[in-house]
Structures are given as structure tokens and as C-alpha cells.
Amino acid sequence: MGSPAKFVSSMRVSAPAPLAHRQRVASRPRLVPARKMASDSPSAGPPRGCVPPVCRAALSASSTTSDEDQNPPNLTGYPFRVKRIHLALDPYSRMAMPNRRGGEEVQKRPTSDIFWAFLMCFVTLATLGLVDRYMHVTHGLPFMSGAWGTISVLAFGTVENPAARLYNCVTATVASAFIVATMVMLFGSCWWTRALSVATALGFMMWTGSVHPPGAAAIMGCMDQAAFQQLGYWYVLYPVLFGSLFVLFMGHLTHKLKHRYEFMVGGLFGDGWVKLRRAEEDDRNNERLEQALNECKNCTISYDEDDVLGTYTLEREDSQIEYTEVRRE
């Protein structure tokens, strides 16, 4: 299934009227680029479903690509000339950028999310660091786990991430810590017990619907530190589960702060840049459509009703042109 094609379905020419306001043509988020006229190529034939007289606009929609097609496609949801660097420097927080293959941006949020995430992440890990220092000095026990860095990214850097839910955290953390403690006690720490532990924990998470990346980090931490291995099955509760629940609790507070206190801070490329590019894209789309319509007079195109994506009207100075957007194979 290819991109949509715009075909003229009818043309109604009225008597000359006073100069009217030109309406913008409604368009879908992914604009259809202009094509070279098929008449320029002697070997090109009428497209499938075209009824004589041959519509040159229809031929242009299925012919070779134009110079604009040689340019890379737009970022999904954004107009022409907007690049990732512009989005990276605008005042928004995102979990993931859009790409040029149809992938949309994920969790676009105001600048305040960055501030609250930074502040709460610092406070949380600093608190755990002080506890780690106290346990080392007073009791000689290890405390700080690398899994807490992973869960901090989920808890503070995202909003309502399924992997950061309480069920996922408790189930995956307890299972992963139990698996690695058992492996170390039975077979010791080596290359294949490390791989088998992570693979077993991953299968368990997928089976129980509790995928939680910090669980694998807890396994790797135990495999590489003899102090954690000496804890045996106590490693399940201390320090892994205790610290993970604390980070998750602080993440819940951060989530409330993000939604209650939202604000924006201007970036190097803000909304003005994107709006300007979007307006330019609309103008370019209108020009492409008018060029195709000027090449087509009294055209008739046959297509199935199921392939119709929308019908639009283009108001010109002395005429009103209706066109239909259909799905092209």
C-alpha cells in the first residue's frame, strides 16, 4: 500500500466573480509530494483505473519521482526542513524523537518535566548514597546497587511507563534477585551463570507480564560484587527490593509534581520555528496541487469507494474545483 494520491473528481467553473479569499487546502499529516508529468516520458502510460481522456494529473501522481522526492522524507508529524537538532533544542521534554520512517515522538512534555526529574533524581540518589555510606561505616555491609540507576531513568525520566509499575518492580526484582542468588550459591559466578541468570529472569518477566529492566541490572551487580554474593538470599530484600521501592515512591511524587506544576522555558528553537516551517509546507502543498489541477481539464478517474480518503474543495478566483484524495496501490 503506497502513499495517497489526489485526483480531480469534478470541476465547476462559474462566472467571473470578485477576488475571493483563497482557502488553504486541507491535507493529511503526511503530505503527498508533486510528481513529474508522465507526458515528459514517452514510455509512460495511463495509470490503472484512469478513464479517457487521460488525466495528466493522475499520470503525474504515479510517474517518476521529482527533485523533491530525492530529499529525505519529513520527520513524522513535522513539516519540511524541521530536523532533530531543532527538536533537541526546543523547550520540550521527550522520551523519544520522531523518525523519517513513520515513528512518532513519544511523551512530548513541557520543560518543567526536565526540572522536576533532575531535582527528584538528585535528591533520591543522594539519599541512597548517604545510607550506603552509613551502612559501610557502621555495619560494613554493601548497599548501593546499580539497578537503582536504571530504575531512576524509568521513574523520573518518563511518565506512566508500564515498566515502572509497582507490580513490575516487585515481581521482577524479587525474581531476578532470587535467581541470581541461587545461581551463585550452586554454580558460582562465571560467564555462563551470568548469561543464564539474565536469560532466565527475562523469560520469567515476559511470562508473568512484569518486564522491568532494573531486574537484569540487579543480576549483573550481584555477579560482579563478592560482597553482594555473601548476602545469599538476603540479597532479595536487602538492598535490591528496599532501594527499588524507595526510588519508585519518589518517582510517584515526581509524577504528581510534573502534572501539578507545569511551566515552559524558551529554547534555541521554539514553537515559532516549527510553525514557520509548517506554514511554508502548506504553501508548497497548495502550489503543487494547483500545478496538477492546471494540467487537468475535464478529467474522469474511476476508483473504489473504499479507497476514498477524503474530498476537498479548492476555491480559485473564477472557479471552484473539487478533488478527491484516494489510496493508491
Side-chain angles (χ1 to χ4, degrees):
M1 194 69 68
S3 59
K6 295 183 176 68
F7 299 144
V8 173
S9 58
S10 66
M11 177 181 290
R12 297 200 301 261
V13 180
S14 60
L19 185 62
H21 174 66
R22 184 185 300 274
Q23 296 181 352
R24 287 196 182 276
V25 180
S27 60
R28 297 175 64 80
R30 299 185 67 181
L31 300 174
V32 181
R35 309 281 185 176
K36 288 184 179 180
M37 291 300 158
S39 58
D40 298 338
S41 176
S43 60
R48 176 183 173 186
C50 187
V51 179
V54 176
C55 177
R56 297 179 65 189
L59 285 172
S60 67
S62 59
S63 60
T64 57
T65 59
S66 65
D67 295 338
E68 291 183 0
D69 289 331
Q70 297 177 2
N71 297 328
N74 299 346
L75 291 175
T76 304
Y78 285 91
F80 177 67
R81 292 177 59 188
V82 173
K83 301 180 180 180
R84 289 189 180 93
I85 184 62
H86 302 136
L87 303 183
L89 298 178
D90 71 6
Y92 290 98
S93 165
R94 294 176 178 85
M95 181 179 174
M97 286 283 190
N99 58 32
R100 304 182 188 277
R101 298 183 298 274
E104 299 180 353
E105 62 184 0
V106 181
Q107 292 189 8
K108 181 180 179 181
R109 297 277 304 161
T111 320
S112 54
D113 279 27
I114 302 175
F115 170 78
W116 293 120
F118 172 85
L119 178 63
M120 296 301 289
C121 181
F122 174 81
V123 171
T124 301
L125 293 183
T127 302
L128 292 175
L130 293 175
V131 175
D132 176 69
R133 181 180 179 181
Y134 172 79
M135 296 300 295
H136 268 294
V137 174
T138 306
H139 304 285
L141 295 175
F143 182 76
M144 186 65 71
S145 173
W148 298 338
T150 310
I151 193 174
S152 294
V153 174
L154 297 177
F156 304 119
T158 63
V159 177
E160 298 179 352
N161 194 312
R165 294 174 181 171
L166 181 61
Y167 168 78
N168 293 57
C169 177
V170 174
T171 304
T173 300
V174 171
S176 299
F178 181 83
I179 290 172
V180 69
T182 301
M183 285 289 182
V184 170
M185 293 175 63
L186 295 179
F187 307 106
S189 175
C190 60
W191 62 269
W192 67 268
T193 55
R194 179 185 293 105
L196 182 59
S197 298
V198 175
T200 303
L202 175 61
F204 179 83
M205 294 179 202
M206 298 174 65
W207 179 39
T208 57
S210 59
V211 174
H212 186 65
I219 293 177
M220 302 298 288
C222 183
M223 283 288 181
D224 296 334
Q225 297 188 37
F228 284 145
Q229 297 173 12
Q230 295 175 359
L231 295 176
Y233 286 114
W234 282 107
Y235 182 69
V236 177
L237 299 178
Y238 172 92
V240 178
L241 184 61
F242 171 79
S244 297
L245 290 177
F246 176 71
V247 175
L248 208 62
F249 171 75
M250 296 297 289
H252 180 68
L253 295 181
T254 306
H255 176 75
K256 290 186 175 181
L257 291 173
K258 287 180 179 180
H259 286 80
R260 183 171 297 181
Y261 304 102
E262 296 182 353
F263 57 85
M264 293 290 297
V265 176
L268 297 182
F269 295 96
D271 286 342
W273 172 271
V274 176
K275 289 179 180 179
L276 176 61
R277 299 285 80 81
R278 200 178 300 278
E280 291 180 355
E281 184 73 0
D282 291 341
D283 291 338
R284 292 171 62 249
N285 186 53
N286 289 347
E287 293 175 0
R288 292 196 297 261
L289 180 60
E290 288 198 56
Q291 180 181 1
L293 292 176
N294 290 334
E295 298 292 336
C296 180
K297 296 181 179 180
N298 299 324
C299 303
T300 303
I301 302 297
S302 61
Y303 48 82
D304 296 333
E305 294 183 358
D306 295 338
D307 293 334
V308 176
L309 299 177
T311 57
Y312 309 100
T313 301
L314 177 63
E315 297 287 348
R316 307 179 69 176
E317 296 178 0
D318 58 349
S319 63
Q320 184 182 48
I321 301 175
E322 295 180 354
Y323 70 95
T324 304
E325 185 179 6
V326 300
R327 185 180 293 107
R328 188 181 74 244
E329 295 182 353

